[in-house]
Amino acid sequence: MIRCAVAKDIPAIMEMSREFYNTTDYAKFAPFDEGTVLDLVESVVFHGIFVVGTDNNDVPVGILGFVLTPFIFNRNILSCVEAIWYVKEDFRKSTMGIGMIRYADKLRKLRGAKHFQLARLNTSPECLDKILEKLGFNFSEKYFSKVD
C-alpha cells in the first residue's frame, strides 16, 4: 500500500534514511547525523510531502520525501523537490517506487506545486532515467560535488 507518512512511521523512515545514506558517495566524507536527519524527516513529514510504501503489515519498506519551496527563480511558483527516495532491497522489483512517485505527483498538484523534481545520484541504477522519462520527467540538470 502507498500512503502519506505519519508520526508513527518516523523510526522506520530514519532506519531507511540511514540505509540509503550508506549507499551514497556523501557517506564517504560526512557521517550520518541522527539529529540532522530527524529534523529533516520531521519537517518533511509534517510540512512537505512524505509518502511511504508499506508491506502487508503496514510497515514502511519504501520512502519518498519532498520539500515544498518557492522555485529558485520565481517565488510565485511552488516547487516540490525530492529530499529522499529509497526502497528496501526486497521490494525494488515491485512497482512500489513508481507508485510512490505517482501518488506524490497527485499530492503536489493538490498542494499547488507546479514544478516537480526528482534526482538520480551517480549511485542510482541506470534504468532510473528511462523510468522517470516514461513518467513524464525531462532531464534538467546535473550536479557536481567537491569536498575539501
Side-chain angles (χ1 to χ4, degrees):
M1 180 172 75
I2 295 167
R3 60 173 173 76
C4 290
V6 294
K8 72 175 181 142
D9 298 321
I10 291 176
I13 292 169
M14 290 296 294
E15 175 192 327
M16 282 184 277
S17 295
R18 181 183 295 278
E19 287 175 25
F20 162 74
Y21 187 74
N22 288 333
T23 69
T24 71
D25 286 341
Y26 302 123
K28 295 174 184 171
F29 74 88
F32 183 90
D33 183 76
E34 196 85 19
T36 301
V37 177
L38 181 58
D39 288 347
L40 173 65
V41 166
E42 287 177 340
S43 176
V44 177
V45 167
F46 299 121
H47 305 292
I49 293 175
F50 213 119
V51 172
V52 294
T54 64
D55 65 11
N56 292 333
N57 296 314
D58 199 39
V59 175
V61 293
I63 56 176
L64 180 56
F66 295 90
V67 175
L68 295 171
T69 185
F71 180 63
I72 195 166
F73 295 109
N74 185 333
R75 66 179 172 220
N76 300 303
I77 295 174
L78 188 62
S79 287
C80 182
V81 180
E82 178 198 338
I84 189 166
W85 182 20
Y86 182 74
V87 177
K88 286 187 172 266
E89 182 98 27
D90 293 347
F91 295 85
R92 290 189 190 156
K93 298 219 187 252
S94 71
T95 59
M96 181 179 293
I98 293 169
M100 289 191 303
I101 292 171
R102 287 184 171 140
Y103 191 80
D105 195 19
K106 291 176 185 174
L107 294 174
R108 66 100 185 163
K109 288 176 184 175
L110 290 171
R111 299 279 297 271
K114 184 175 183 176
H115 177 246
F116 193 31
Q117 189 173 48
L118 281 144
R120 184 177 80 74
L121 300 176
N122 66 329
T123 53
S124 300
E126 290 286 327
C127 64
L128 183 56
D129 292 2
K130 287 187 185 340
I131 291 168
L132 293 176
E133 287 169 358
K134 284 181 182 177
L135 292 171
F137 290 85
N138 297 306
F139 176 73
S140 58
E141 56 187 276
K142 189 180 218 177
Y143 288 96
F144 291 84
S145 297
K146 180 179 178 182
V147 179
D148 294 324

